[in-house]
Amino acid sequence: MMSMKPKQKSGRVGLARALSKLGYCSRTQAAELIRTGYVHLNERVRRDPETPVHLDRDRITIDGNPIEARAKIYLMMNKPRGLVTTASDEKGRETVYAVLRAAMQSQANHQSSPHDPSERAAQRNNAAKYAFPEDPSSRAESEQQLPWVAPVGRLDKASEGLLLVTNDSQWAARIAAPKTHLDKTYHVQIARVVEEAWTQSLISGVRDEDGEMLRAKQARVLRSAQKSCWLEIILDQGKNRQIRRMLAARSVEVLRLVRVAIGPLQLGNLPKGRFRPLTQDEKRLLDGAMLTNEARRNATSACKQR
């Protein structure tokens, strides 16, 4: 698994944000831990998530365990259809963490003694319970498992394909930021056959039922069958359920929607329901693409101000 040594931190941030920056849990989970009295700062209980922290010199502990910066983890997942892209769901629907837990359970199966079924079952249960705990108070029991990670952005329940997962909250925020926003490429199966000229309307812009103008950066027909066809649509707007809203406005039913690329990163042949670490080259490609986008947007902004 690709990880990177954490850099030395400096400056003052809120306590909840500090835990997120250290890769311990999300800011929401951190705030819950802090308010319930689990977190000590310099040997004192702190219940205010905004308590100032100097990451380079203050000591944070949870249940007596010191919290240090964790190695950064960057994963790519092929999200199956039917999973929600959240840590937990108020409706009880299965989330993308099921994919991660399944991998940990498989790892536990391989590590178990083949001669001891009871031990093998216990390891499977522990892996499923503690690999990616949704209750942050159970973190102390999971120190030997993969650290907290979170999806970067979202794919809706009915969509599938490439999803980034990381414990580097700053990196995740940069990918979603307007200045560094990366194009996203989708392959979309629709319940009708269209001509190449029809896809130009998606580039020109479509108003959804609320009157919002939605545009694709690029769109083309990939292949056609008798009653359906596949389109390739590239977005640079990053709006919620954008493709589904655009096609609904044209009275077109979406049969499948698969994200196949984020910027220069391709889903490739990663099997559905599996994940793997990014290679160093893939991470560098993503970072380079973000820097290029930021420089381009800064230059455009400077030209407009002249």
Side-chain angles (χ1 to χ4, degrees):
M1 176 177 301
M2 190 195 81
S3 63
M4 297 191 175
K5 293 182 178 179
K7 298 179 181 178
Q8 288 296 108
K9 305 294 182 183
S10 60
R12 178 181 289 190
V13 297
L15 183 54
R17 187 180 177 200
L19 288 173
S20 175
K21 285 170 70 72
L22 292 171
Y24 183 80
C25 60
S26 71
R27 289 176 69 174
T28 301
Q29 291 173 324
E32 180 183 347
L33 281 172
I34 294 163
R35 293 191 184 100
T36 52
Y38 282 99
V39 181
H40 288 67
L41 176 64
N42 298 325
E43 314 304 329
R44 294 180 58 189
V45 174
R46 301 290 185 175
R47 295 181 182 270
D48 181 0
E50 298 302 320
T51 300
V53 176
H54 283 280
L55 284 170
D56 53 351
R57 64 172 184 260
D58 287 335
R59 185 171 187 267
I60 305 173
T61 60
I62 296 180
D63 282 347
N65 299 304
I67 305 304
E68 305 293 341
R70 296 172 183 262
K72 300 302 184 185
I73 293 173
Y74 306 93
L75 308 174
M76 61 181 293
M77 176 191 296
N78 187 346
K79 173 193 170 299
R81 191 188 321 200
L83 299 182
V84 181
T85 313
T86 56
S88 61
D89 183 65
E90 68 281 359
K91 298 179 181 179
R93 295 172 295 183
E94 197 167 33
T95 76
V96 292
Y97 286 84
V99 173
L100 301 168
R101 289 193 185 96
M104 297 302 293
Q105 182 171 334
S106 176
Q107 180 180 355
N109 290 343
H110 287 298
Q111 292 175 346
S112 309
S113 167
H115 305 296
D116 190 344
S118 61
E119 179 184 351
R120 189 159 58 243
Q123 288 190 348
R124 283 199 302 269
N125 291 338
N126 286 338
K129 181 177 180 181
Y130 296 131
F132 301 92
E134 295 177 3
D135 175 6
S137 65
S138 66
R139 289 293 311 178
E141 302 177 76
S142 60
E143 290 302 314
Q144 301 306 313
Q145 304 293 348
L146 188 67
W148 165 80
V149 289
V152 180
R154 290 178 180 251
L155 275 176
D156 63 51
K157 181 182 176 183
S159 299
E160 52 194 293
L162 180 56
L163 181 69
L164 294 172
V165 183
T166 184
N167 63 351
D168 188 342
S169 55
Q170 289 182 296
W171 184 77
R174 286 191 68 231
I175 285 183
K179 282 190 174 182
T180 56
H181 184 73
L182 298 172
D183 291 350
K184 296 179 176 63
T185 304
Y186 300 84
H187 288 176
V188 187
Q189 185 184 28
I190 60 174
R192 61 174 288 188
V193 178
V194 299
E195 300 296 330
E196 194 67 45
W198 183 92
T199 64
Q200 295 306 305
S201 66
L202 303 180
I203 300 172
S204 301
V206 178
R207 290 198 182 277
D208 71 358
E209 61 180 10
D210 296 323
E212 183 176 7
M213 179 62 75
L214 304 171
R215 293 184 175 87
K217 181 177 182 179
Q218 297 178 35
R220 67 188 180 97
V221 177
L222 288 175
R223 58 186 181 273
S224 299
Q226 286 188 336
K227 297 182 179 181
S228 68
C229 68
W230 282 89
L231 308 177
E232 180 176 83
I233 299 176
I234 300 177
L235 300 181
D236 61 357
Q237 287 185 300
K239 297 183 178 180
N240 185 43
R241 295 175 59 85
Q242 182 174 340
I243 291 176
R244 294 184 186 278
R245 290 160 59 197
M246 291 172 67
L247 293 173
R250 299 298 309 273
S251 300
V252 174
E253 180 186 1
V254 174
L255 300 177
R256 287 185 66 190
L257 194 157
V258 185
R259 184 157 66 193
V260 297
I262 297 175
L265 181 66
Q266 302 288 324
L267 177 63
N269 58 2
L270 181 65
K272 189 180 299 184
R274 301 291 295 274
F275 70 93
R276 67 167 178 82
L278 296 182
T279 66
Q280 292 185 352
D281 285 344
E282 288 170 336
K283 175 64 164 49
R284 279 194 290 265
L285 276 173
L286 285 171
D287 290 344
M290 287 193 287
L291 288 173
T292 299
N293 287 351
E294 186 172 21
R296 183 183 298 117
R297 289 175 185 266
N298 287 342
T300 300
S301 178
C303 289
K304 289 180 179 179
Q305 291 176 3
R306 290 175 185 171

